[in-house]
């Protein structure tokens, strides 16, 4: 799918085809799961090579941030389906050539839809160049990540209360609850890792773009006021990405602590069950010994012919079981 936007009165306007875009001056060409024909159209329009999906997935810095054919190619890792059960990482490539921005992606992160809708409103942010569109998209990605981190932080606090204030009377039920918590903690940790990777890639992109020649070209072609605004926005984006990445690291450490604590509580519950079986075995061992003695087939056993021999044996077995129990109780082992 190829979405084309031009700038009119400082805001984005969606149009249908490249001929009209050439006449009006396209600011943003958005390639979502592009076909071969759409890639050829954009390539012919800007005289650049569009990276393939495999090339976008490369993690080397030289494959993600580079200049080619007079254009600046920058790839970040975005997270799509954040609120779903299966969030996925998706590489997104930004290509800036002149005043035009090309985005290449194979997923639909929500910030793209949010920014496109906002930028087309008259009250939306100004969009007079492809660079400003890219900064707006990155800011939307960061805002989305910030909201997600805030939500995850609240959920982590709820998990913490659930772990350390579990009052389930049944040991087996409590263990099952803790096992369920481990799964939930694992999902939060996985999402945090993906968000942190995305924020790190954004910070690298902004640092590269701020030091590139394309920024100097854009600044030279704009006024001093716009120059100052662009520089300021770049600094704010870089600062926010770094801050949120640090916050994601803090939440990851908290997740690891809760995971260790939960596993420790599960081990304590299991040890408690094993201790009960061990105590039961020790308590019933002396009665078993008494019963085995009187079960021997010997003639010279006076208690066998004694009228009170049977009650005596039963009482001895009960006493031999009660004494270890009271001893364990007094020592605080039960």
């Amino acid at each position: 799918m190829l979405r084309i936007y031009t700038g009119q009165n400082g805001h984005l306007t969606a149009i249908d085809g490249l001929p009209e875009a050439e006449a009006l001056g396209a600011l943003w060409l958005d390639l979502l799961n592009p076909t071969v024909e759409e890639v050829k159209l954009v390539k012919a329009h800007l005289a650049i090579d569009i990276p393939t999906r495999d090339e976008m997935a490369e993690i080397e810095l030289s494959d993600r941030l580079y200049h080619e054919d007079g254009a600046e190619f920058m790839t970040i890792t975005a997270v799509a389906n954040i609120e779903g059960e299966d969030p996925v990482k998706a590489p997104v490539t930004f290509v800036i050539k002149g005043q035009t921005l090309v985005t290449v992606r194979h997923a639909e992160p929500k910030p793209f839809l949010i920014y496109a809708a906002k930028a087309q409103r008259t009250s939306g942010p100004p969009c007079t160049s492809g660079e400003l569109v890219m900064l707006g998209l990155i800011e939307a990605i960061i805002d989305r990540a910030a909201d997600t981190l805030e939500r995850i932080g609240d959920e982590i606090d709820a998990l913490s209360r659930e772990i350390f204030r579990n009052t389930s009377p049944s040991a087996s039920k409590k263990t099952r609850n803790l096992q369920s918590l481990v799964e939930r903690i694992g999902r939060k940790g996985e999402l945090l890792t993906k968000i942190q990777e995305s924020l790190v890639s954004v910070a690298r992109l902004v640092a590269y773009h701020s030091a590139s020649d394309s920024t100097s070209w854009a600044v030279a072609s704009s006024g001093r006021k716009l120059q100052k605004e662009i520089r300021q926005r770049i600094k704010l984006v870089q600062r926010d990405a770094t801050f949120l990445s640090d916050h994601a690291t803090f939440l990851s450490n908290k997740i690891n602590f809760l995971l260790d604590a939960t596993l420790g509580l599960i081990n304590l519950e299991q040890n408690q069950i094993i201790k009960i079986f061990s105590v039961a075995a020790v308590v019933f061992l002396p009665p078993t010994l008494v019963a085995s003695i009187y079960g021997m087939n010997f003639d010279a056993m006076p208690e066998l012919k004694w009228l009170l021999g049977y009650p005596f044996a039963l009482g001895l077995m009960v006493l031999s079981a009660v004494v270890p129990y009271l001893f364990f109780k007094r020592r605080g082992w039960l």
Side-chain angles (χ1 to χ4, degrees), residues 57 102 215 269 275-276 332:
V102 180
T215 302
E269 292 295 331
K275 183 176 74 172
I276 292 173

Side-chain angles (χ1 to χ4, degrees), residues 60-67 73-75 204-205 208:
E60 290 85 355
L61 189 63
S62 59
D63 292 327
R64 289 198 156 216
L65 306 170
Y66 61 94
H67 280 78
F73 293 77
M74 297 164 287
T75 300
R204 290 167 58 183
L205 179 149
Y208 176 81

Side-chain angles (χ1 to χ4, degrees), residues 102-123:
V102 180
T103 55
V104 186
R105 52 200 177 95
H106 298 272
E108 186 72 288
K110 200 169 182 179
F112 278 76
L113 297 175
I114 294 174
Y115 173 78
K118 184 185 297 183
Q120 293 181 72
R121 296 197 295 262
T122 56
S123 59

Side-chain angles (χ1 to χ4, degrees), residues 133-237:
V133 174
M134 183 187 73
L135 289 177
L137 288 170
I138 292 177
E139 287 171 347
I141 292 173
I142 290 178
D143 289 343
R144 180 73 167 168
D147 294 339
T148 304
L149 289 178
E150 183 178 0
R151 174 174 59 84
I152 292 176
D154 294 338
E155 292 174 353
I156 289 175
D157 291 338
L159 286 173
S160 178
R161 291 191 296 270
E162 192 171 349
I163 291 170
F164 296 111
R165 300 179 188 177
N166 198 325
T167 58
S168 175
S170 171
S172 60
K173 184 177 179 181
K174 184 175 181 179
T175 302
R176 287 195 298 269
N177 291 341
L178 292 174
Q179 291 173 349
S180 174
L181 285 173
V182 170
E183 296 176 0
R184 291 161 59 187
I185 290 172
R187 288 195 293 269
K188 301 300 178 209
E190 183 181 4
L191 178 56
L192 275 174
T193 301
K194 293 176 179 178
I195 292 176
Q196 189 173 10
E197 183 178 345
S198 175
L199 290 170
V200 170
S201 67
V202 168
R204 290 167 58 183
L205 179 149
V206 174
Y208 176 81
H209 179 66
S210 64
S212 67
D213 294 335
S214 62
T215 302
S216 302
W217 179 90
V219 168
S221 63
S222 61
R224 288 183 175 273
K225 184 177 181 181
L226 183 58
Q227 169 187 352
K228 186 176 181 181
E229 290 178 357
I230 292 176
R231 295 285 188 186
Q232 187 66 22
R233 286 183 66 180
I234 290 176
K235 289 181 181 179
L236 290 175
V237 168

